[in-house]
Amino acid sequence: MPVKPDIHPLVLTQGDPEGVGPELLLHVAAAGLLRPGDRVVAQRALLSQLAEKLDHPWAKRGWQLIEPYLVEPPHSGNLGQVAILRHGVDCVLATPGAALVTAPIDKARCRDEGFSYPGHTEYLAARPGCDEFAMSIAAPTLRAVSAPTHP
């Protein structure tokens, strides 16, 4: 799908497969918030099964609308949250102007999958070789930078 020059594509990753991320992705799709050029890096089977399990019209609609946006890591036997995050970052780095939206990860399970970073922040900084970075939180009436980031 061609992307309008003034719209930056988003790459959304599922995060922990047993966390809130997969359900949030179905909600985002059901609400019609995905745009041409956006990509969702997630386990296809997980989202399909979740939509079936939730057995609600919004979940079924979300599954129908999200499917064209889904991308899975190529040639990956293990579609754990680390493989999903890595592929999401690959997509962003390969797409000028793209932004990454990540769901929460389970740090202990990430370590079990061979992830050597304390969290998202450090990994996202390391991929493009960034030395100075911070995790920030923004809301309409608050902007905060966490220091330190992860233990």
Side-chain angles (χ1 to χ4, degrees):
M1 295 180 199
V3 177
K4 289 183 178 180
D6 58 337
I7 296 178
H8 297 286
L10 299 176
V11 176
L12 298 89
T13 60
Q14 78 180 26
D16 177 10
E18 294 180 19
V20 69
E23 186 173 332
L24 285 173
L25 290 175
L26 291 175
H27 273 289
V28 165
L33 298 174
L34 294 174
R35 308 157 310 164
D38 289 348
R39 287 179 264 176
V40 176
V41 184
Q43 299 169 345
R44 183 178 304 275
L46 173 76
L47 294 181
S48 172
Q49 291 166 5
L50 179 60
E52 193 70 29
K53 178 183 169 188
L54 292 171
D55 192 29
H56 198 280
W58 70 261
K60 292 177 182 177
R61 176 172 164 71
W63 169 243
Q64 291 169 349
L65 293 174
I66 205 170
E67 195 170 13
Y69 296 91
L70 281 174
V71 223
E72 290 181 315
H75 307 57
S76 177
N78 176 10
L79 288 180
Q81 60 187 336
V82 173
I84 296 289
L85 178 61
R86 283 186 178 133
H87 192 64
V89 173
D90 290 344
C91 290
V92 168
L93 293 175
T95 309
L100 182 68
V101 178
T102 63
I105 58 174
D106 179 325
K107 293 173 184 73
R109 288 178 62 187
C110 282
R111 281 190 297 276
D112 293 344
E113 294 176 30
F115 195 66
S116 61
Y117 298 90
H120 278 94
T121 307
E122 296 80 6
Y123 175 70
L124 295 175
R127 282 296 302 272
C130 182
D131 292 329
E132 294 184 28
F133 59 92
M135 176 175 29
S136 67
I137 300 167
T141 59
L142 173 71
R143 288 186 180 31
V145 174
S146 175
T149 54
H150 292 99

